[in-house]
Amino acid sequence: MIHQNRRKELLSQIDDNAVVVISTNPEQFRNGDVTFPFRPHSDFFYLTGFQEPQAVAVISRNTYTMFLRDKDPDREIWDGERLGLADAPEILKLEKALNINLLEDHLAQLITAENVVYFDEKPCDFDRMLSSLLSSYTIKSLQDPLHEMRLIKDEFEMSTMQKAANISMVAHVLAMQYVAPNMFEYELQSVFDAHFVKNNAVHAYTPIVAGGKNACILHYIENNKPLKDGDLVLIDAGCEFDNYASDITRTFPVNGRFSTAQKQIYQIVLEAQLAAIDSIKPGASVHKPHEIASNIIQQGLESLGLLASGESLSTFYMHGTGHWLGMDVHDVGKYQHNQQHRKFEEGMVITVEPGIYIRKDDKINPIYHDIGIRIEDDVLVTNAGNTVLTEQLAKTIDEIETLMSED
């Protein structure tokens, strides 16, 4: 019913004579004849709920047809059971199920010359072929109406994202309690690997486990260096559960105790994050959290003498304060309308993740060298303001040190 309602809503927002043609992701080879675990394209799954490869959905006001693989007992011995053509109409609520091998022969029968076709080509051979089949029709992008829909989460999506957040929060707690000096970053990552698998989840993105100076590399993913006594470790890791992502960052001391300099920088980031979260509510500008966080970080670094008054903040804080979150970790949806920052609406989910990154520099007091700190939570916009989906995870200095001291 969820996917039926989404298709109905989409059709209500596009041309009366529209036909939507949408394919799922292709399977991706890792090396040789080994493929990566399959994950459906988010737009395709959002409208269909179907999780097998090699599928194309054709959606109009008159019919809902899917081209998909048929049953194949020989291949199913090797690759697993397929839904097949006979069961697909009932399970997927289709009017018609056709073999994917008949796509070239039958696609044109579902589209008339008068139809406007909503279709977005993905960078893969299959979609290039599909685009060629549709070349004689008037094509419009599906992204604008569909991605606006995806930006506003329904109750099912909110619940699923909370489950993903819950799984990820536990993993972060386990990591704080497991870490020890001289452990390798990949050993700490293994906590997340195991806990996610244990809960039928996967990584929503390549995790960052960055000790010491590595935390000053924003997308550090090598995760293969030793964690040194006295350093901080920044972990940016979140699971994907039932195709919905979580995204959490915590930074904590490898030995369980923050140094004075680490506390000073950490507290600035924490205050910036809390104030940014507090600004999120319906009607507020989506740029407001970044403005607030940047101002607090600027003032904090100036007070420590790390920035001169009015000096650019970009040396120490060079990224935005958040991004949409949903089926994709950097989820779809525009941040501006008519060259103006859009307003928050109930049902949006955004991350809030300010940070400070201080590399070695002769101009900077050495006690601050190689301190990289980011704190990130997932925030749902509600009618009353907001709900932090990751609220229960420790993030104050006292909370973290207490948690890490527990047996």
Side-chain angles (χ1 to χ4, degrees):
M1 184 61 73
I2 291 173
H3 302 100
Q4 286 177 295
N5 290 340
R6 290 170 180 168
R7 294 191 295 272
K8 183 177 179 180
E9 180 181 351
L10 175 64
L11 290 170
S12 74
Q13 296 183 29
I14 59 180
D15 304 74
D16 290 341
N17 63 338
V19 174
V20 173
V21 178
I22 185 168
S23 66
T24 193
N25 281 331
E27 291 182 287
Q28 299 286 343
F29 282 93
R30 180 184 184 274
N31 65 303
D33 60 354
V34 178
T35 59
F36 285 102
F38 178 73
R39 202 276 196 183
H41 190 275
S42 295
D43 286 344
F44 181 87
F45 179 79
Y46 184 82
L47 291 174
T48 69
F50 190 48
Q51 303 209 57
E52 291 185 19
Q54 300 181 48
V56 175
V58 181
I59 306 166
S60 71
R61 287 173 174 79
N62 298 320
T63 186
Y64 174 34
T65 300
M66 188 177 293
F67 294 87
L68 68 157
R69 303 176 305 178
D70 201 1
K71 303 287 288 183
D72 184 334
D74 290 336
R75 287 313 314 166
E76 289 178 69
I77 290 173
W78 291 90
D79 302 327
E81 187 176 0
R82 301 177 178 182
L83 176 59
L85 302 182
D87 292 334
E90 180 180 354
I91 300 298
L92 300 177
K93 308 304 179 188
L94 303 170
E95 274 76 52
K96 185 183 297 184
L98 297 172
N99 194 307
I100 188 66
N101 295 329
L102 301 177
L103 178 67
E104 293 186 56
D105 296 330
H106 288 260
L107 180 61
Q109 298 175 16
L110 301 171
I111 309 171
T112 69
E114 291 75 30
N115 288 136
V116 173
V117 178
Y118 281 76
F119 169 73
D120 296 301
E121 180 182 331
K122 297 186 289 298
C124 63
D125 290 341
F126 183 86
D127 268 29
R128 282 188 281 274
M129 178 274 291
L130 189 53
S131 181
S132 177
L133 294 177
L134 297 171
S135 60
S136 62
Y137 300 99
T138 300
I139 304 294
K140 290 189 177 181
S141 174
L142 182 59
Q143 290 186 0
D144 283 349
L146 183 56
H147 290 181
E148 282 297 299
M149 286 174 56
R150 282 181 54 190
L151 186 56
I152 306 299
K153 275 56 181 181
D154 58 34
E155 291 295 331
F156 172 80
E157 292 176 294
M158 295 177 197
S159 174
T160 304
M161 293 183 71
Q162 184 65 71
K163 292 175 184 176
N166 292 346
I167 294 168
S168 297
M169 284 190 287
V170 172
H172 277 269
V173 169
L174 294 172
M176 290 182 195
Q177 295 177 326
Y178 180 66
V179 69
N182 302 317
M183 177 182 291
F184 279 83
E185 293 163 341
Y186 55 75
E187 293 180 77
L188 199 51
Q189 178 184 322
S190 73
V191 174
F192 293 85
D193 300 343
H195 188 71
F196 290 174
V197 171
K198 183 179 179 180
N199 287 275
N200 196 30
V202 298
H203 285 280
Y205 50 95
T206 304
I208 297 168
V209 183
K213 66 180 182 180
N214 297 331
C216 296
I217 303 170
L218 299 184
H219 289 163
Y220 173 82
I221 57 172
E222 284 80 3
N223 302 349
N224 60 5
K225 301 298 188 297
L227 297 168
K228 299 177 183 178
D229 193 359
D231 279 352
L232 297 173
V233 58
L234 182 158
I235 300 183
D236 188 337
C239 80
E240 179 182 286
F241 179 78
D242 200 13
N243 293 322
Y244 283 86
S246 57
D247 188 2
I248 302 175
T249 307
R250 289 294 185 268
T251 310
F252 50 91
V254 172
N255 63 14
R257 304 293 295 182
F258 289 90
S259 70
T260 298
Q262 291 166 353
K263 285 182 179 179
Q264 290 173 329
I265 303 301
Y266 190 95
Q267 195 60 34
I268 294 170
V269 177
L270 179 61
E271 290 175 4
Q273 200 228 19
L274 292 172
I277 291 173
D278 192 54
S279 73
I280 295 174
K281 58 185 177 181
S285 167
V286 299
H287 191 59
K288 193 67 174 178
H290 183 67
E291 291 178 350
I292 290 174
S294 297
N295 287 336
I296 292 174
I297 291 173
Q298 180 89 32
Q299 294 168 13
L301 293 177
E302 288 178 5
S303 71
L304 293 178
L306 296 174
L307 275 181
S309 179
E311 187 179 353
S312 173
L313 182 59
S314 62
T315 301
F316 302 113
Y317 181 35
M318 64 294 293
H319 61 77
T321 300
H323 55 79
W324 303 129
L325 184 67
M327 297 186 72
D328 300 322
V329 68
H330 293 138
D331 208 33
V332 296
K334 293 181 178 178
Y335 294 89
Q336 293 188 336
H337 277 160
N338 300 320
Q339 298 183 320
Q340 299 290 323
H341 295 295
R342 73 183 304 160
K343 307 297 184 183
F344 282 117
E345 299 176 45
E346 184 178 358
M348 293 175 171
V349 180
I350 195 166
T351 66
V352 181
E353 50 178 310
I356 296 175
Y357 313 91
I358 306 174
R359 296 159 185 80
K360 286 186 177 179
D361 188 317
D362 292 340
K363 301 176 184 178
I364 297 172
N365 187 328
I367 66 171
Y368 298 110
H369 285 177
D370 296 336
I371 292 179
I373 295 171
R374 183 165 65 251
I375 308 171
E376 179 180 21
D377 285 294
D378 305 341
V379 182
L380 167 68
V381 183
T382 66
N383 183 53
N386 70 70
T387 296
V388 181
L389 302 179
T390 48
E391 179 73 28
Q392 299 306 310
L393 180 57
K395 67 178 174 181
T396 69
I397 291 171
D398 286 345
E399 287 172 345
I400 289 173
E401 291 187 338
T402 298
L403 177 63
M404 295 183 71
S405 69
E406 295 174 353
D407 293 331

